[in-house]
Amino acid sequence: MPVVVLFIIFVVLLVIAVPVSITLGITSVLPSVFDPSFTVGAKYLIRAMFGGLDSFPLLAVPMFVLSGIIMAKGGISKKLFDVFAYFLGKFTAGMPCAVIVTCLFYGAISGSAPATVAAVGSMTIPILSNLGYDLTFSTAIVAVAGGVIIPPSIPFIMYGMASGASVSDLFLAGIIPGLMIGALLMLYAIYHCKRYGEDKEKIHAEVQMLHDKGLLKVLKESFFALLSPVIILGCIYTGVASPTEAAVISVFYALIISLFVYKSIKLRDIWPILVEAIRTFTPILFILAASTAFSRVLTLMQVPQTVSEFILNNFHSPVAILLIINLFLLIVGMVMDTTPAILILTPILLPIVQAIGMNPIQFGVIMVVNLAIGFVTPPIGVNLFVASSLTDVPVMQIAKKALPMIAFFLAALLLITFIPAISIGIL
């Protein structure tokens, strides 16, 4: 079966809204259906699907999903926001910047962009709206900031599985790019607030309530929330725990803090939290299994080699090759969820960038940043849909407001692509 026909069927199934996992399963089976001599049969595909799920690093994904939900229910995002609002609130765009920094910290705890948007957005968007900020702007800034790649990041774990690269190294490489993107988003927030103005009186009153509490009390209330990313990332970077073990530590830490320190959840709340985590992770599990089978089929059809030869034979400049790959990943990020995109495209694109001398860790950061932009770009734009569900602002209105922020994201992407030291300088 021609590869081009296979990809046309794949795209058509996605366009007509067939679930991604089913689309991957159908296209994995088609080559053996139309060509009996094809070496991959149903038994091989089933073994490949189960083999793809039999992975120790993969256990980190449900654990980070669960810890993110526990922390959202436990109000940890509110504790984080209070600290940053205390320090930043009196400056121009201080409150939106406090939201962005909260997203950075919460993302470093939960590892999930949609979880960050849901947890931080449900708490901060009403606050920004009450302070006089435009609702669409408030929603857009949470949607975009929630996609920042501060580790631990589930897409990094997926890339590590697909490429064989060290997940710990990927986490370390993502720190500076994530902070840089956050800083660029804060610069845009300052520009926006200077141009459109702020209700200084309302903001001053809100910040004054925190200052009346006193710095020590605010820090005391937020201490354990601020400590969580230090513990999680500290365990990984000091070698005390692997990313998977750190994810399990984050679950127990979130549970203990929420139950016994903040007392924001009760024992009876644990079962609904577990159910929500399972409902969140199960679709990811099906996609992982199906995409593993699909990637095996593509390998046997020699798709990675074909694509690699085409790009290397037609584009001879490393700059041109990287720009083409970035453009391709941006388009894919707009129409496909991050997990299958990483698992399918990594075996295809990684040999190309290695042929021009790029470090696999740097390419992992580039791929994750590209797909993070897809989180806030229609038609898929998961973060847009999550943010829209919080405020009832139409997705396209949020996307329109997010365009300038996406432009800053793209600027960061180009810097990460052509300045390797940004992502691998501290390895």
Side-chain angles (χ1 to χ4, degrees), residues 111-314:
S112 168
T116 300
V117 173
V120 178
S122 60
M123 179 270 301
T124 59
I125 292 173
I127 292 175
L128 292 181
S129 184
N130 290 335
L131 292 176
Y133 293 98
D134 176 63
L135 180 60
T136 307
F137 166 73
S138 304
T139 308
I141 206 162
V142 172
V144 177
V148 173
I149 61 167
I150 289 286
S153 169
I154 290 173
F156 279 141
I157 298 170
M158 297 294 115
Y159 177 80
M161 284 182 57
S163 66
S166 164
V167 174
S168 296
D169 284 349
L170 287 164
F171 282 180
L172 197 61
I175 293 175
I176 293 177
L179 293 174
M180 181 178 70
I181 294 168
L184 289 172
L185 292 178
M186 285 189 274
L187 283 176
Y188 172 74
I190 293 169
Y191 161 77
H192 181 277
C193 291
K194 282 187 174 180
R195 180 175 179 181
Y196 296 102
E198 300 176 279
D199 191 330
K200 295 290 187 181
E201 190 174 328
K202 285 184 178 179
I203 295 168
H204 178 77
E206 180 74 19
V207 176
Q208 192 59 43
M209 289 172 60
L210 291 172
H211 281 260
D212 289 342
K213 278 186 177 182
L215 177 60
L216 288 178
K217 187 172 182 181
V218 171
L219 289 176
K220 182 181 177 182
E221 290 177 351
S222 308
F223 175 76
F224 290 102
L226 291 167
L227 192 62
S228 49
V230 176
I231 291 174
I232 295 165
L233 297 177
C235 287
I236 295 171
Y237 298 142
T238 57
V240 172
S242 68
T244 302
E245 292 162 344
V248 177
I249 291 170
S250 75
V251 171
F252 282 98
Y253 181 83
L255 203 55
I256 291 168
I257 297 304
S258 298
L259 277 173
F260 303 114
V261 178
Y262 293 145
K263 298 180 181 179
S264 47
I265 62 173
K266 308 293 183 186
L267 286 174
R268 65 175 178 270
D269 298 323
I270 294 177
W271 180 253
I273 287 172
L274 292 173
V275 170
E276 185 178 343
I278 291 169
R279 285 178 176 168
T280 302
F281 177 65
T282 302
I284 299 175
L285 197 66
F286 278 105
I287 291 171
L288 278 167
S291 61
T292 301
F294 187 59
S295 64
R296 299 279 175 88
V297 170
L298 292 180
T299 302
L300 289 170
M301 295 177 76
Q302 295 190 323
V303 172
Q305 295 91 324
T306 304
V307 174
S308 177
E309 288 174 7
F310 174 80
I311 292 178
L312 292 174
N313 289 337
N314 289 278

Side-chain angles (χ1 to χ4, degrees), residues 173 176-177 362 415-416 418-427:
I176 293 177
Q362 183 191 359
L415 291 173
I416 293 164
F418 295 109
I419 306 176
I422 293 175
S423 52
I424 60 175
I426 58 174
L427 292 182

Side-chain angles (χ1 to χ4, degrees), residues 74-151:
I76 287 177
S77 55
K78 178 67 169 72
K79 306 292 185 185
L80 292 171
F81 177 74
D82 285 347
V83 173
F84 304 129
Y86 182 96
F87 288 106
L88 300 174
K90 289 188 176 180
F91 297 101
T92 300
M95 299 305 270
C97 287
V99 171
I100 292 169
V101 179
T102 304
C103 286
L104 293 179
F105 263 75
Y106 192 86
I109 299 169
S110 72
S112 168
T116 300
V117 173
V120 178
S122 60
M123 179 270 301
T124 59
I125 292 173
I127 292 175
L128 292 181
S129 184
N130 290 335
L131 292 176
Y133 293 98
D134 176 63
L135 180 60
T136 307
F137 166 73
S138 304
T139 308
I141 206 162
V142 172
V144 177
V148 173
I149 61 167
I150 289 286

